[in-house]
Amino acid sequence: MASGGKISILIMRDDAGVRRMRLSPFWIQSGLWAVVFLILAAALFAAGAMYYRGIVAESERAAQEARRLATDAADRLKRLDEIETILRSKDSTELQTLLGSYNPDAAAWWKPAVETPPAPAPAAPEKADAAAAKIDLRKLLDKIDLNQAGVDNFKSKVENGKLAVSFDLSNLSPQTALSGKAELLILTNDGVLHPLKTDKDELTFQIQRFKQVAAHLALPQGVNPADMYGLRITIADPAGKTIYNAVYPIERP
């Protein structure tokens, strides 16, 4: 160390003379502290960046949840609007279908206030007609819902001799995928179910959250649109177990 508290550094080369550099300890200490400061600043910056990324990810999750809730609320409002339209129309058939689908424990309790008395039947076939007229309304109209599949915005309309059907199918347990097949059947006023023929994969599904279904189906032979009471949708899992079953009204031309 040189006089005056400075540090001397000797630089020697084979082909040159000896060179000496004199440095103050202050600059060496300043350099070391600068390196430490840069390391601390880099660590703080990395921690801040990770914290900011966490906030952004949480905000994105909250935004997705808010969008999902908004979509669910919009679907429910649309369904309530359809129910209000049915109630205002005072159509006895649609009211009976509506009340039957929303009261699965007593789907057939409601009947129109005014019923047309049946025409007198001939004496001979009276017993046969009575047996044929006995219809199990619970079996036809009761709703089955195992809270696995959700059906919303169900619409059906007869157009040009075909039945246009559309609905929103949702998975109520999105933690696991939902797969299965839906079946559509026309329920006529005489209590008979007529299956609708569809393409092979048109009503087969495997979804994680949501799927929009739309199909144009030919009416079964001999079925008159004026005799149609409603449309029943049955959803079964891959094992064939029914997880959803309900009857919906059909919009007539």
PDB file of all heavy atoms in Angstrom, residues 17-55:
ATOM      1  N   GLY A  17       7.772  -1.877 -19.817  1.00  0.00           N
ATOM      2  CA  GLY A  17       8.178  -1.561 -18.462  1.00  0.00           C
ATOM      3  C   GLY A  17       7.076  -1.776 -17.454  1.00  0.00           C
ATOM      4  O   GLY A  17       5.954  -2.123 -17.791  1.00  0.00           O
ATOM      5  N   VAL A  18       7.400  -1.575 -16.210  1.00  0.00           N
ATOM      6  CA  VAL A  18       6.443  -1.741 -15.121  1.00  0.00           C
ATOM      7  C   VAL A  18       5.570  -0.476 -15.021  1.00  0.00           C
ATOM      8  O   VAL A  18       6.075   0.642 -15.014  1.00  0.00           O
ATOM      9  CB  VAL A  18       7.163  -2.001 -13.788  1.00  0.00           C
ATOM     10  CG1 VAL A  18       6.166  -2.119 -12.658  1.00  0.00           C
ATOM     11  CG2 VAL A  18       8.021  -3.253 -13.885  1.00  0.00           C
ATOM     12  N   ARG A  19       4.247  -0.734 -14.940  1.00  0.00           N
ATOM     13  CA  ARG A  19       3.321   0.378 -14.781  1.00  0.00           C
ATOM     14  C   ARG A  19       2.632   0.249 -13.430  1.00  0.00           C
ATOM     15  O   ARG A  19       2.313  -0.854 -12.989  1.00  0.00           O
ATOM     16  CB  ARG A  19       2.283   0.381 -15.894  1.00  0.00           C
ATOM     17  CG  ARG A  19       2.903   0.544 -17.281  1.00  0.00           C
ATOM     18  CD  ARG A  19       1.835   0.517 -18.340  1.00  0.00           C
ATOM     19  NE  ARG A  19       0.872   1.581 -18.125  1.00  0.00           N
ATOM     20  CZ  ARG A  19      -0.240   1.749 -18.855  1.00  0.00           C
ATOM     21  NH1 ARG A  19      -0.510   0.873 -19.812  1.00  0.00           N
ATOM     22  NH2 ARG A  19      -1.057   2.750 -18.617  1.00  0.00           N
ATOM     23  N   ARG A  20       2.431   1.348 -12.811  1.00  0.00           N
ATOM     24  CA  ARG A  20       1.814   1.344 -11.481  1.00  0.00           C
ATOM     25  C   ARG A  20       0.537   2.184 -11.496  1.00  0.00           C
ATOM     26  O   ARG A  20       0.517   3.293 -12.049  1.00  0.00           O
ATOM     27  CB  ARG A  20       2.784   1.894 -10.438  1.00  0.00           C
ATOM     28  CG  ARG A  20       2.215   1.804  -9.004  1.00  0.00           C
ATOM     29  CD  ARG A  20       3.216   2.253  -7.988  1.00  0.00           C
ATOM     30  NE  ARG A  20       3.475   3.681  -8.125  1.00  0.00           N
ATOM     31  CZ  ARG A  20       4.263   4.368  -7.298  1.00  0.00           C
ATOM     32  NH1 ARG A  20       4.897   3.739  -6.317  1.00  0.00           N
ATOM     33  NH2 ARG A  20       4.471   5.668  -7.464  1.00  0.00           N
ATOM     34  N   MET A  21      -0.517   1.582 -10.879  1.00  0.00           N
ATOM     35  CA  MET A  21      -1.788   2.294 -10.731  1.00  0.00           C
ATOM     36  C   MET A  21      -2.061   2.465  -9.253  1.00  0.00           C
ATOM     37  O   MET A  21      -1.911   1.523  -8.474  1.00  0.00           O
ATOM     38  CB  MET A  21      -2.939   1.514 -11.387  1.00  0.00           C
ATOM     39  CG  MET A  21      -2.787   1.362 -12.892  1.00  0.00           C
ATOM     40  SD  MET A  21      -4.168   0.414 -13.594  1.00  0.00           S
ATOM     41  CE  MET A  21      -5.530   1.486 -13.125  1.00  0.00           C
ATOM     42  N   ARG A  22      -2.475   3.648  -8.898  1.00  0.00           N
ATOM     43  CA  ARG A  22      -2.788   3.938  -7.494  1.00  0.00           C
ATOM     44  C   ARG A  22      -4.286   4.196  -7.367  1.00  0.00           C
ATOM     45  O   ARG A  22      -4.843   5.060  -8.054  1.00  0.00           O
ATOM     46  CB  ARG A  22      -2.003   5.167  -7.027  1.00  0.00           C
ATOM     47  CG  ARG A  22      -0.488   4.979  -7.111  1.00  0.00           C
ATOM     48  CD  ARG A  22       0.236   6.226  -6.644  1.00  0.00           C
ATOM     49  NE  ARG A  22      -0.031   6.456  -5.230  1.00  0.00           N
ATOM     50  CZ  ARG A  22       0.300   7.579  -4.578  1.00  0.00           C
ATOM     51  NH1 ARG A  22       0.907   8.563  -5.245  1.00  0.00           N
ATOM     52  NH2 ARG A  22       0.049   7.713  -3.294  1.00  0.00           N
ATOM     53  N   LEU A  23      -4.947   3.373  -6.531  1.00  0.00           N
ATOM     54  CA  LEU A  23      -6.400   3.488  -6.320  1.00  0.00           C
ATOM     55  C   LEU A  23      -6.695   3.752  -4.861  1.00  0.00           C
ATOM     56  O   LEU A  23      -6.052   3.191  -3.973  1.00  0.00           O
ATOM     57  CB  LEU A  23      -7.121   2.199  -6.745  1.00  0.00           C
ATOM     58  CG  LEU A  23      -7.084   1.850  -8.234  1.00  0.00           C
ATOM     59  CD1 LEU A  23      -7.746   0.499  -8.446  1.00  0.00           C
ATOM     60  CD2 LEU A  23      -7.793   2.930  -9.048  1.00  0.00           C
ATOM     61  N   SER A  24      -7.671   4.570  -4.664  1.00  0.00           N
ATOM     62  CA  SER A  24      -8.122   4.852  -3.303  1.00  0.00           C
ATOM     63  C   SER A  24      -9.039   3.727  -2.819  1.00  0.00           C
ATOM     64  O   SER A  24      -9.866   3.217  -3.585  1.00  0.00           O
ATOM     65  CB  SER A  24      -8.848   6.187  -3.257  1.00  0.00           C
ATOM     66  OG  SER A  24      -9.407   6.392  -1.972  1.00  0.00           O
ATOM     67  N   PRO A  25      -8.936   3.301  -1.578  1.00  0.00           N
ATOM     68  CA  PRO A  25      -9.852   2.259  -1.045  1.00  0.00           C
ATOM     69  C   PRO A  25     -11.321   2.669  -1.169  1.00  0.00           C
ATOM     70  O   PRO A  25     -12.209   1.820  -1.226  1.00  0.00           O
ATOM     71  CB  PRO A  25      -9.427   2.129   0.416  1.00  0.00           C
ATOM     72  CG  PRO A  25      -8.003   2.576   0.432  1.00  0.00           C
ATOM     73  CD  PRO A  25      -7.894   3.655  -0.599  1.00  0.00           C
ATOM     74  N   PHE A  26     -11.595   3.949  -1.222  1.00  0.00           N
ATOM     75  CA  PHE A  26     -12.976   4.425  -1.346  1.00  0.00           C
ATOM     76  C   PHE A  26     -13.623   3.927  -2.628  1.00  0.00           C
ATOM     77  O   PHE A  26     -14.779   3.476  -2.646  1.00  0.00           O
ATOM     78  CB  PHE A  26     -12.987   5.954  -1.296  1.00  0.00           C
ATOM     79  CG  PHE A  26     -14.326   6.537  -1.661  1.00  0.00           C
ATOM     80  CD1 PHE A  26     -15.373   6.521  -0.753  1.00  0.00           C
ATOM     81  CD2 PHE A  26     -14.539   7.066  -2.928  1.00  0.00           C
ATOM     82  CE1 PHE A  26     -16.602   7.048  -1.103  1.00  0.00           C
ATOM     83  CE2 PHE A  26     -15.767   7.594  -3.263  1.00  0.00           C
ATOM     84  CZ  PHE A  26     -16.811   7.593  -2.350  1.00  0.00           C
ATOM     85  N   TRP A  27     -12.860   3.963  -3.740  1.00  0.00           N
ATOM     86  CA  TRP A  27     -13.436   3.524  -5.010  1.00  0.00           C
ATOM     87  C   TRP A  27     -13.633   2.017  -5.049  1.00  0.00           C
ATOM     88  O   TRP A  27     -14.598   1.514  -5.642  1.00  0.00           O
ATOM     89  CB  TRP A  27     -12.522   3.954  -6.163  1.00  0.00           C
ATOM     90  CG  TRP A  27     -12.464   5.448  -6.319  1.00  0.00           C
ATOM     91  CD1 TRP A  27     -11.399   6.273  -6.068  1.00  0.00           C
ATOM     92  CD2 TRP A  27     -13.536   6.270  -6.725  1.00  0.00           C
ATOM     93  NE1 TRP A  27     -11.723   7.588  -6.295  1.00  0.00           N
ATOM     94  CE2 TRP A  27     -13.066   7.608  -6.708  1.00  0.00           C
ATOM     95  CE3 TRP A  27     -14.850   6.040  -7.106  1.00  0.00           C
ATOM     96  CZ2 TRP A  27     -13.840   8.704  -7.052  1.00  0.00           C
ATOM     97  CZ3 TRP A  27     -15.620   7.134  -7.455  1.00  0.00           C
ATOM     98  CH2 TRP A  27     -15.135   8.435  -7.424  1.00  0.00           C
ATOM     99  N   ILE A  28     -12.694   1.280  -4.403  1.00  0.00           N
ATOM    100  CA  ILE A  28     -12.890  -0.174  -4.349  1.00  0.00           C
ATOM    101  C   ILE A  28     -14.142  -0.525  -3.546  1.00  0.00           C
ATOM    102  O   ILE A  28     -14.966  -1.361  -3.942  1.00  0.00           O
ATOM    103  CB  ILE A  28     -11.652  -0.851  -3.752  1.00  0.00           C
ATOM    104  CG1 ILE A  28     -10.432  -0.616  -4.662  1.00  0.00           C
ATOM    105  CG2 ILE A  28     -11.891  -2.346  -3.546  1.00  0.00           C
ATOM    106  CD1 ILE A  28      -9.150  -1.172  -4.117  1.00  0.00           C
ATOM    107  N   GLN A  29     -14.291   0.127  -2.377  1.00  0.00           N
ATOM    108  CA  GLN A  29     -15.486  -0.115  -1.564  1.00  0.00           C
ATOM    109  C   GLN A  29     -16.751   0.319  -2.310  1.00  0.00           C
ATOM    110  O   GLN A  29     -17.793  -0.353  -2.265  1.00  0.00           O
ATOM    111  CB  GLN A  29     -15.368   0.623  -0.240  1.00  0.00           C
ATOM    112  CG  GLN A  29     -14.277   0.090   0.668  1.00  0.00           C
ATOM    113  CD  GLN A  29     -14.147   0.894   1.946  1.00  0.00           C
ATOM    114  OE1 GLN A  29     -14.853   1.894   2.120  1.00  0.00           O
ATOM    115  NE2 GLN A  29     -13.227   0.487   2.827  1.00  0.00           N
ATOM    116  N   SER A  30     -16.662   1.438  -3.014  1.00  0.00           N
ATOM    117  CA  SER A  30     -17.828   1.903  -3.778  1.00  0.00           C
ATOM    118  C   SER A  30     -18.212   0.886  -4.850  1.00  0.00           C
ATOM    119  O   SER A  30     -19.412   0.609  -5.084  1.00  0.00           O
ATOM    120  CB  SER A  30     -17.527   3.254  -4.426  1.00  0.00           C
ATOM    121  OG  SER A  30     -17.259   4.221  -3.437  1.00  0.00           O
ATOM    122  N   GLY A  31     -17.205   0.297  -5.533  1.00  0.00           N
ATOM    123  CA  GLY A  31     -17.499  -0.716  -6.555  1.00  0.00           C
ATOM    124  C   GLY A  31     -18.170  -1.941  -5.963  1.00  0.00           C
ATOM    125  O   GLY A  31     -19.131  -2.483  -6.524  1.00  0.00           O
ATOM    126  N   LEU A  32     -17.662  -2.393  -4.797  1.00  0.00           N
ATOM    127  CA  LEU A  32     -18.272  -3.554  -4.149  1.00  0.00           C
ATOM    128  C   LEU A  32     -19.714  -3.267  -3.738  1.00  0.00           C
ATOM    129  O   LEU A  32     -20.620  -4.089  -3.930  1.00  0.00           O
ATOM    130  CB  LEU A  32     -17.438  -3.964  -2.929  1.00  0.00           C
ATOM    131  CG  LEU A  32     -16.043  -4.532  -3.234  1.00  0.00           C
ATOM    132  CD1 LEU A  32     -15.282  -4.794  -1.935  1.00  0.00           C
ATOM    133  CD2 LEU A  32     -16.161  -5.818  -4.058  1.00  0.00           C
ATOM    134  N   TRP A  33     -19.928  -2.092  -3.158  1.00  0.00           N
ATOM    135  CA  TRP A  33     -21.308  -1.731  -2.765  1.00  0.00           C
ATOM    136  C   TRP A  33     -22.223  -1.594  -3.978  1.00  0.00           C
ATOM    137  O   TRP A  33     -23.417  -1.910  -3.914  1.00  0.00           O
ATOM    138  CB  TRP A  33     -21.298  -0.426  -1.963  1.00  0.00           C
ATOM    139  CG  TRP A  33     -20.877  -0.605  -0.544  1.00  0.00           C
ATOM    140  CD1 TRP A  33     -19.742  -0.140   0.054  1.00  0.00           C
ATOM    141  CD2 TRP A  33     -21.608  -1.306   0.463  1.00  0.00           C
ATOM    142  NE1 TRP A  33     -19.683  -0.508   1.374  1.00  0.00           N
ATOM    143  CE2 TRP A  33     -20.850  -1.235   1.665  1.00  0.00           C
ATOM    144  CE3 TRP A  33     -22.804  -2.017   0.492  1.00  0.00           C
ATOM    145  CZ2 TRP A  33     -21.250  -1.827   2.853  1.00  0.00           C
ATOM    146  CZ3 TRP A  33     -23.215  -2.594   1.693  1.00  0.00           C
ATOM    147  CH2 TRP A  33     -22.443  -2.498   2.847  1.00  0.00           C
ATOM    148  N   ALA A  34     -21.686  -1.113  -5.090  1.00  0.00           N
ATOM    149  CA  ALA A  34     -22.504  -1.003  -6.316  1.00  0.00           C
ATOM    150  C   ALA A  34     -22.941  -2.383  -6.795  1.00  0.00           C
ATOM    151  O   ALA A  34     -24.087  -2.584  -7.218  1.00  0.00           O
ATOM    152  CB  ALA A  34     -21.712  -0.272  -7.404  1.00  0.00           C
ATOM    153  N   VAL A  35     -22.014  -3.369  -6.737  1.00  0.00           N
ATOM    154  CA  VAL A  35     -22.369  -4.731  -7.138  1.00  0.00           C
ATOM    155  C   VAL A  35     -23.451  -5.302  -6.233  1.00  0.00           C
ATOM    156  O   VAL A  35     -24.435  -5.916  -6.676  1.00  0.00           O
ATOM    157  CB  VAL A  35     -21.116  -5.628  -7.135  1.00  0.00           C
ATOM    158  CG1 VAL A  35     -21.495  -7.093  -7.362  1.00  0.00           C
ATOM    159  CG2 VAL A  35     -20.129  -5.164  -8.197  1.00  0.00           C
ATOM    160  N   VAL A  36     -23.283  -5.082  -4.898  1.00  0.00           N
ATOM    161  CA  VAL A  36     -24.307  -5.567  -3.949  1.00  0.00           C
ATOM    162  C   VAL A  36     -25.652  -4.908  -4.220  1.00  0.00           C
ATOM    163  O   VAL A  36     -26.718  -5.545  -4.196  1.00  0.00           O
ATOM    164  CB  VAL A  36     -23.835  -5.305  -2.499  1.00  0.00           C
ATOM    165  CG1 VAL A  36     -24.954  -5.636  -1.505  1.00  0.00           C
ATOM    166  CG2 VAL A  36     -22.588  -6.126  -2.187  1.00  0.00           C
ATOM    167  N   PHE A  37     -25.636  -3.605  -4.502  1.00  0.00           N
ATOM    168  CA  PHE A  37     -26.883  -2.881  -4.780  1.00  0.00           C
ATOM    169  C   PHE A  37     -27.577  -3.414  -6.028  1.00  0.00           C
ATOM    170  O   PHE A  37     -28.808  -3.580  -6.063  1.00  0.00           O
ATOM    171  CB  PHE A  37     -26.570  -1.395  -4.928  1.00  0.00           C
ATOM    172  CG  PHE A  37     -27.764  -0.576  -5.318  1.00  0.00           C
ATOM    173  CD1 PHE A  37     -28.729  -0.244  -4.377  1.00  0.00           C
ATOM    174  CD2 PHE A  37     -27.943  -0.178  -6.638  1.00  0.00           C
ATOM    175  CE1 PHE A  37     -29.840   0.496  -4.752  1.00  0.00           C
ATOM    176  CE2 PHE A  37     -29.043   0.552  -7.005  1.00  0.00           C
ATOM    177  CZ  PHE A  37     -30.004   0.895  -6.064  1.00  0.00           C
ATOM    178  N   LEU A  38     -26.775  -3.697  -7.073  1.00  0.00           N
ATOM    179  CA  LEU A  38     -27.366  -4.235  -8.306  1.00  0.00           C
ATOM    180  C   LEU A  38     -28.000  -5.609  -8.069  1.00  0.00           C
ATOM    181  O   LEU A  38     -29.066  -5.918  -8.595  1.00  0.00           O
ATOM    182  CB  LEU A  38     -26.297  -4.318  -9.394  1.00  0.00           C
ATOM    183  CG  LEU A  38     -25.818  -2.970  -9.965  1.00  0.00           C
ATOM    184  CD1 LEU A  38     -24.676  -3.200 -10.961  1.00  0.00           C
ATOM    185  CD2 LEU A  38     -26.970  -2.222 -10.641  1.00  0.00           C
ATOM    186  N   ILE A  39     -27.311  -6.435  -7.244  1.00  0.00           N
ATOM    187  CA  ILE A  39     -27.878  -7.761  -6.942  1.00  0.00           C
ATOM    188  C   ILE A  39     -29.189  -7.624  -6.190  1.00  0.00           C
ATOM    189  O   ILE A  39     -30.192  -8.301  -6.483  1.00  0.00           O
ATOM    190  CB  ILE A  39     -26.863  -8.599  -6.152  1.00  0.00           C
ATOM    191  CG1 ILE A  39     -25.634  -8.908  -7.018  1.00  0.00           C
ATOM    192  CG2 ILE A  39     -27.501  -9.892  -5.649  1.00  0.00           C
ATOM    193  CD1 ILE A  39     -24.516  -9.608  -6.278  1.00  0.00           C
ATOM    194  N   LEU A  40     -29.231  -6.731  -5.182  1.00  0.00           N
ATOM    195  CA  LEU A  40     -30.467  -6.522  -4.425  1.00  0.00           C
ATOM    196  C   LEU A  40     -31.573  -5.969  -5.313  1.00  0.00           C
ATOM    197  O   LEU A  40     -32.752  -6.363  -5.207  1.00  0.00           O
ATOM    198  CB  LEU A  40     -30.210  -5.576  -3.245  1.00  0.00           C
ATOM    199  CG  LEU A  40     -29.350  -6.137  -2.106  1.00  0.00           C
ATOM    200  CD1 LEU A  40     -29.097  -5.053  -1.058  1.00  0.00           C
ATOM    201  CD2 LEU A  40     -30.054  -7.331  -1.459  1.00  0.00           C
ATOM    202  N   ALA A  41     -31.217  -5.024  -6.191  1.00  0.00           N
ATOM    203  CA  ALA A  41     -32.229  -4.446  -7.081  1.00  0.00           C
ATOM    204  C   ALA A  41     -32.806  -5.507  -8.009  1.00  0.00           C
ATOM    205  O   ALA A  41     -34.022  -5.550  -8.263  1.00  0.00           O
ATOM    206  CB  ALA A  41     -31.606  -3.293  -7.887  1.00  0.00           C
ATOM    207  N   ALA A  42     -31.942  -6.397  -8.552  1.00  0.00           N
ATOM    208  CA  ALA A  42     -32.432  -7.466  -9.429  1.00  0.00           C
ATOM    209  C   ALA A  42     -33.360  -8.418  -8.682  1.00  0.00           C
ATOM    210  O   ALA A  42     -34.393  -8.853  -9.201  1.00  0.00           O
ATOM    211  CB  ALA A  42     -31.235  -8.228 -10.022  1.00  0.00           C
ATOM    212  N   ALA A  43     -33.011  -8.735  -7.414  1.00  0.00           N
ATOM    213  CA  ALA A  43     -33.863  -9.632  -6.617  1.00  0.00           C
ATOM    214  C   ALA A  43     -35.217  -8.991  -6.339  1.00  0.00           C
ATOM    215  O   ALA A  43     -36.275  -9.639  -6.448  1.00  0.00           O
ATOM    216  CB  ALA A  43     -33.158  -9.988  -5.310  1.00  0.00           C
ATOM    217  N   LEU A  44     -35.204  -7.699  -5.976  1.00  0.00           N
ATOM    218  CA  LEU A  44     -36.475  -7.000  -5.723  1.00  0.00           C
ATOM    219  C   LEU A  44     -37.315  -6.914  -6.991  1.00  0.00           C
ATOM    220  O   LEU A  44     -38.545  -7.054  -6.960  1.00  0.00           O
ATOM    221  CB  LEU A  44     -36.188  -5.596  -5.171  1.00  0.00           C
ATOM    222  CG  LEU A  44     -35.605  -5.547  -3.753  1.00  0.00           C
ATOM    223  CD1 LEU A  44     -35.248  -4.105  -3.376  1.00  0.00           C
ATOM    224  CD2 LEU A  44     -36.611  -6.108  -2.739  1.00  0.00           C
ATOM    225  N   PHE A  45     -36.674  -6.672  -8.130  1.00  0.00           N
ATOM    226  CA  PHE A  45     -37.409  -6.588  -9.392  1.00  0.00           C
ATOM    227  C   PHE A  45     -38.052  -7.929  -9.735  1.00  0.00           C
ATOM    228  O   PHE A  45     -39.209  -7.986 -10.164  1.00  0.00           O
ATOM    229  CB  PHE A  45     -36.457  -6.158 -10.506  1.00  0.00           C
ATOM    230  CG  PHE A  45     -37.110  -6.091 -11.850  1.00  0.00           C
ATOM    231  CD1 PHE A  45     -37.898  -5.007 -12.202  1.00  0.00           C
ATOM    232  CD2 PHE A  45     -36.948  -7.127 -12.757  1.00  0.00           C
ATOM    233  CE1 PHE A  45     -38.507  -4.956 -13.443  1.00  0.00           C
ATOM    234  CE2 PHE A  45     -37.558  -7.083 -13.995  1.00  0.00           C
ATOM    235  CZ  PHE A  45     -38.344  -5.991 -14.342  1.00  0.00           C
ATOM    236  N   ALA A  46     -37.300  -9.036  -9.537  1.00  0.00           N
ATOM    237  CA  ALA A  46     -37.856 -10.362  -9.817  1.00  0.00           C
ATOM    238  C   ALA A  46     -39.039 -10.663  -8.899  1.00  0.00           C
ATOM    239  O   ALA A  46     -40.071 -11.184  -9.340  1.00  0.00           O
ATOM    240  CB  ALA A  46     -36.762 -11.427  -9.661  1.00  0.00           C
ATOM    241  N   ALA A  47     -38.898 -10.306  -7.597  1.00  0.00           N
ATOM    242  CA  ALA A  47     -40.013 -10.541  -6.665  1.00  0.00           C
ATOM    243  C   ALA A  47     -41.232  -9.706  -7.058  1.00  0.00           C
ATOM    244  O   ALA A  47     -42.380 -10.177  -7.017  1.00  0.00           O
ATOM    245  CB  ALA A  47     -39.569 -10.202  -5.240  1.00  0.00           C
ATOM    246  N   GLY A  48     -41.014  -8.456  -7.441  1.00  0.00           N
ATOM    247  CA  GLY A  48     -42.130  -7.607  -7.862  1.00  0.00           C
ATOM    248  C   GLY A  48     -42.806  -8.135  -9.111  1.00  0.00           C
ATOM    249  O   GLY A  48     -44.038  -8.091  -9.241  1.00  0.00           O
ATOM    250  N   ALA A  49     -41.994  -8.651 -10.072  1.00  0.00           N
ATOM    251  CA  ALA A  49     -42.575  -9.191 -11.297  1.00  0.00           C
ATOM    252  C   ALA A  49     -43.444 -10.413 -11.007  1.00  0.00           C
ATOM    253  O   ALA A  49     -44.545 -10.563 -11.556  1.00  0.00           O
ATOM    254  CB  ALA A  49     -41.465  -9.554 -12.285  1.00  0.00           C
ATOM    255  N   MET A  50     -42.970 -11.298 -10.117  1.00  0.00           N
ATOM    256  CA  MET A  50     -43.760 -12.483  -9.766  1.00  0.00           C
ATOM    257  C   MET A  50     -45.042 -12.084  -9.045  1.00  0.00           C
ATOM    258  O   MET A  50     -46.115 -12.646  -9.295  1.00  0.00           O
ATOM    259  CB  MET A  50     -42.929 -13.422  -8.890  1.00  0.00           C
ATOM    260  CG  MET A  50     -41.727 -14.032  -9.597  1.00  0.00           C
ATOM    261  SD  MET A  50     -40.815 -15.203  -8.550  1.00  0.00           S
ATOM    262  CE  MET A  50     -42.074 -16.438  -8.272  1.00  0.00           C
ATOM    263  N   TYR A  51     -44.969 -11.090  -8.158  1.00  0.00           N
ATOM    264  CA  TYR A  51     -46.166 -10.621  -7.457  1.00  0.00           C
ATOM    265  C   TYR A  51     -47.168 -10.027  -8.439  1.00  0.00           C
ATOM    266  O   TYR A  51     -48.380 -10.270  -8.348  1.00  0.00           O
ATOM    267  CB  TYR A  51     -45.762  -9.594  -6.411  1.00  0.00           C
ATOM    268  CG  TYR A  51     -46.927  -8.999  -5.647  1.00  0.00           C
ATOM    269  CD1 TYR A  51     -47.612  -9.756  -4.687  1.00  0.00           C
ATOM    270  CD2 TYR A  51     -47.353  -7.699  -5.895  1.00  0.00           C
ATOM    271  CE1 TYR A  51     -48.679  -9.216  -4.010  1.00  0.00           C
ATOM    272  CE2 TYR A  51     -48.417  -7.152  -5.214  1.00  0.00           C
ATOM    273  CZ  TYR A  51     -49.078  -7.904  -4.274  1.00  0.00           C
ATOM    274  OH  TYR A  51     -50.144  -7.370  -3.604  1.00  0.00           O
ATOM    275  N   TYR A  52     -46.665  -9.259  -9.404  1.00  0.00           N
ATOM    276  CA  TYR A  52     -47.551  -8.644 -10.398  1.00  0.00           C
ATOM    277  C   TYR A  52     -48.216  -9.713 -11.267  1.00  0.00           C
ATOM    278  O   TYR A  52     -49.407  -9.615 -11.589  1.00  0.00           O
ATOM    279  CB  TYR A  52     -46.753  -7.672 -11.266  1.00  0.00           C
ATOM    280  CG  TYR A  52     -47.565  -7.033 -12.358  1.00  0.00           C
ATOM    281  CD1 TYR A  52     -48.493  -6.034 -12.069  1.00  0.00           C
ATOM    282  CD2 TYR A  52     -47.411  -7.444 -13.685  1.00  0.00           C
ATOM    283  CE1 TYR A  52     -49.235  -5.451 -13.074  1.00  0.00           C
ATOM    284  CE2 TYR A  52     -48.154  -6.872 -14.691  1.00  0.00           C
ATOM    285  CZ  TYR A  52     -49.069  -5.872 -14.385  1.00  0.00           C
ATOM    286  OH  TYR A  52     -49.815  -5.302 -15.386  1.00  0.00           O
ATOM    287  N   ARG A  53     -47.432 -10.754 -11.643  1.00  0.00           N
ATOM    288  CA  ARG A  53     -48.026 -11.837 -12.427  1.00  0.00           C
ATOM    289  C   ARG A  53     -49.131 -12.542 -11.652  1.00  0.00           C
ATOM    290  O   ARG A  53     -50.151 -12.931 -12.210  1.00  0.00           O
ATOM    291  CB  ARG A  53     -46.940 -12.846 -12.810  1.00  0.00           C
ATOM    292  CG  ARG A  53     -46.006 -12.380 -13.921  1.00  0.00           C
ATOM    293  CD  ARG A  53     -45.040 -13.466 -14.318  1.00  0.00           C
ATOM    294  NE  ARG A  53     -45.737 -14.655 -14.771  1.00  0.00           N
ATOM    295  CZ  ARG A  53     -45.145 -15.804 -15.088  1.00  0.00           C
ATOM    296  NH1 ARG A  53     -43.804 -15.892 -14.957  1.00  0.00           N
ATOM    297  NH2 ARG A  53     -45.833 -16.820 -15.507  1.00  0.00           N
ATOM    298  N   GLY A  54     -48.937 -12.725 -10.349  1.00  0.00           N
ATOM    299  CA  GLY A  54     -49.988 -13.337  -9.529  1.00  0.00           C
ATOM    300  C   GLY A  54     -51.251 -12.491  -9.506  1.00  0.00           C
ATOM    301  O   GLY A  54     -52.375 -13.016  -9.593  1.00  0.00           O
ATOM    302  N   ILE A  55     -51.080 -11.160  -9.394  1.00  0.00           N
ATOM    303  CA  ILE A  55     -52.249 -10.276  -9.388  1.00  0.00           C
ATOM    304  C   ILE A  55     -52.981 -10.346 -10.724  1.00  0.00           C
ATOM    305  O   ILE A  55     -54.223 -10.395 -10.785  1.00  0.00           O
ATOM    306  CB  ILE A  55     -51.810  -8.827  -9.077  1.00  0.00           C
ATOM    307  CG1 ILE A  55     -51.285  -8.734  -7.638  1.00  0.00           C
ATOM    308  CG2 ILE A  55     -52.955  -7.852  -9.294  1.00  0.00           C
ATOM    309  CD1 ILE A  55     -50.773  -7.362  -7.274  1.00  0.00           C
TER     310      ILE A  55
END
